Amino acid sequence: MIRLTTFISALFLTLSLNAQIGYQVSLLDAATGQPRADETVSVTVEITDSSGSLICSETKSATSDDFGVLSLTIGNTSTFENADWSKLPFYISATVDDVLLGRSQILNVPVAEYAKKVADLDKSILKSKVWTGSYSEGEGSYSFRFTDETATLVHSNPYDGGYSATYKYVIFGNLIVCYGSGTKDSKHLFYTGSCLAEADGTDYK
């Protein structure tokens, strides 16, 4: 039996050059738990969007290293030309010798390819409105409000009262990086032309 242990979901250096995504698959013997080293297998890798639509599929032959690890790449400069960027996040799945190993979210989308699809973002667009959304379960709402220097996220929740956080931000093409100090998590948003999308599938419209 083959077991998936690791996915490297996105490599920024590789993506910036040729829109490839790197990944690793570890092959283990189910009976002994030992790595299946120096073994050649057939690997089929697919990239899909959040609706399940296929973006890319490739089948390759690869040989594991001394630790049973396969290191491969998928995609090229045309891989994401027809991707629907309103359907983030994207996912990657792998099948080895007809055994489906699993499906993982691509945590960092190929920003350079995405940026080709919509006009460059500027602060006037961000400041033009309050960007809002709500949970599908109806258990709260959230919003982003931008000034020239800051981005304020407000989360309203009927159970715990919600929270707010203020970040500084920078714009790279259509990528917005919101960052704070201390324990604040950073936020990465992508302007699709109609909304701000996070890689986890959250949309602010």
Side-chain angles (χ1 to χ4, degrees), residues 97-115:
D97 291 340
D98 297 321
V99 177
L100 178 63
L101 302 180
R103 180 171 177 261
S104 299
Q105 181 178 326
I106 299 177
L107 298 179
N108 297 310
V109 298
V111 175
E113 293 301 305
Y114 171 83

Side-chain angles (χ1 to χ4, degrees), residues 42-125:
S42 177
V43 185
T44 298
V45 180
E46 293 185 345
I47 298 175
T48 56
D49 62 26
S50 61
S51 71
S53 297
L54 184 66
I55 296 173
C56 177
S57 178
E58 293 184 10
T59 299
K60 298 182 177 182
S61 178
T63 302
S64 59
D65 64 15
D66 292 342
F67 301 98
V69 175
L70 302 170
S71 297
L72 296 163
T73 58
I74 182 174
N76 54 49
T77 54
S78 62
T79 297
F80 296 95
E81 283 185 353
N82 297 316
D84 186 343
W85 295 93
S86 69
K87 295 181 179 178
L88 294 173
F90 295 156
Y91 294 90
I92 187 168
S93 62
T95 302
V96 174
D97 291 340
D98 297 321
V99 177
L100 178 63
L101 302 180
R103 180 171 177 261
S104 299
Q105 181 178 326
I106 299 177
L107 298 179
N108 297 310
V109 298
V111 175
E113 293 301 305
Y114 171 83
K116 299 175 183 177
K117 301 302 177 182
V118 293
D120 282 346
L121 176 66
D122 61 33
K123 290 184 177 182
S124 65
I125 295 175

